[in-house]
Amino acid sequence: MIFAANFKTNHTRASTKAYIETLLTKIITKRAEDKVYIFPPATALDQFSGDFILGAQNAYMAQNGAFTGEIGLEQLEEFEIKTILIGHSERREILRETQAFIAEKFAYFQSHGFEIIYCIGEPLEIRQQGQHSVMEYLLSQFEGIDISYEKLIVAYEPIWAIGTGRSATSAEIASTHEALKKTLQKPLLYGGSVKPENSKEIISIRGVDGLLVGSASLDVESFAGMITD
Ligand code: 13P
């Protein structure tokens, strides 16, 4: 299983460091085959040692240059970061990243050998139209994306389940993951209101290879509990 924590715009450099130190002591008993990822805000990126992978929530597709407000490859290389989240719905919706832009970013980080956690997810109005519309929408989010890339992990995060406290049901997760797996031979994570109370049930669903956790990962006890439970 993969357990990934996306801090979004939460935690500072200091609190991320303290979080990681605590997390590592708590997950000493984790199963050897399980993998833990932490995606802190860019200001908290650093070099850590321990049995987990530190990734970037975002970066610009350039080594360096005139891209005000962005970080590029050079800033990631400083900390030997080789994992990145691409396509998160908050970047698609709030930061207005288009599919073409996302595909370009994907290709860039693929060409630099990054492990990519690529996020997809439908809005509520599409979910309400039924499974056929959901799949059509989700598959359109692979436009321009090399889904055969060996370091690709996909995260299915229905937008209506993100930060709402309302996770998708087990049946919705199972049917969507099963349908996605027909196209995608890659690890497939679920994200959207995953918390200690539902994480066990979600990881037991066939076709779920791990979790991408937002709010409930901010508290170290809560995230560690999901890993060691
Ligand atoms: P929540 O766990 O807060 O719903 O966020 C999920 C998410 O967007 C992780 O990337």
Side-chain angles (χ1 to χ4, degrees):
M1 279 295 147
I2 291 169
F3 296 90
N6 176 7
F7 286 180
K8 308 188 178 181
T9 314
N10 298 289
H11 276 301
T12 61
R13 187 170 185 77
S15 70
T16 298
K17 190 167 179 282
Y19 180 107
I20 290 171
E21 280 165 9
T22 308
L23 183 74
L24 292 175
T25 64
K26 291 192 179 294
I27 62 169
I28 268 172
T29 56
K30 83 169 178 60
R31 290 162 290 267
E33 67 273 21
D34 287 348
K35 286 172 85 178
V36 176
Y37 291 75
I38 308 284
F39 295 89
T43 55
L45 294 177
D46 206 338
Q47 227 156 1
F48 294 92
S49 53
D51 190 8
F52 78 105
I53 294 161
L54 192 79
Q57 291 176 22
N58 180 50
Y60 190 73
M61 52 245 191
Q63 177 77 26
N64 50 32
F67 307 104
T68 302
E70 296 290 302
I71 60 169
L73 203 56
E74 185 175 288
Q75 287 72 35
L76 299 180
E77 281 171 346
E78 183 178 12
F79 306 119
E80 291 177 6
I81 288 163
K82 291 294 279 176
T83 301
I84 188 166
L85 281 182
I86 294 181
H88 194 281
S89 62
E90 286 150 16
R91 297 209 60 88
R92 292 179 190 264
E93 307 275 310
I94 305 169
L95 283 308
R96 315 259 165 91
E97 289 192 2
T98 63
Q99 184 60 31
F101 180 84
I102 290 167
E104 210 181 314
K105 197 189 291 196
F106 186 102
Y108 180 82
F109 285 98
Q110 174 178 6
S111 75
H112 286 87
F114 273 62
E115 180 172 41
I116 298 174
I117 299 194
Y118 183 69
C119 306
I120 57 169
E122 82 286 359
L124 186 59
E125 61 269 24
I126 299 291
R127 173 53 69 176
Q128 284 164 342
Q129 288 167 20
Q131 181 77 0
H132 180 77
S133 301
V134 169
M135 287 316 296
E136 202 172 65
Y137 189 92
L138 296 179
L139 294 177
S140 77
Q141 294 186 315
F142 289 114
E143 213 174 286
I145 303 297
D146 176 6
I147 60 166
S148 68
Y149 179 44
E150 75 270 19
K151 291 185 191 162
L152 169 64
I153 296 171
V154 174
Y156 168 56
E157 300 203 298
I159 296 172
W160 44 273
I162 294 178
T164 58
R166 178 189 159 199
S167 156
T169 64
S170 292
E172 286 166 332
I173 299 171
S175 60
T176 310
H177 276 232
E178 191 188 326
L180 283 169
K181 289 254 172 176
K182 288 188 181 133
T183 313
L184 211 63
Q185 283 77 49
K186 296 293 164 187
L188 187 52
L189 315 183
Y190 169 79
S193 295
V194 175
K195 39 191 177 244
E197 301 79 53
N198 63 17
S199 65
K200 223 172 172 170
E201 180 178 339
I202 297 173
I203 55 177
S204 72
I205 299 170
R206 200 150 59 92
V208 172
D209 302 305
L211 304 171
L212 180 53
V213 190
S215 333
S217 75
L218 299 179
D219 176 60
V220 68
E221 304 281 339
S222 145
F223 186 55
M226 294 186 212
I227 300 164
T228 54
D229 226 13

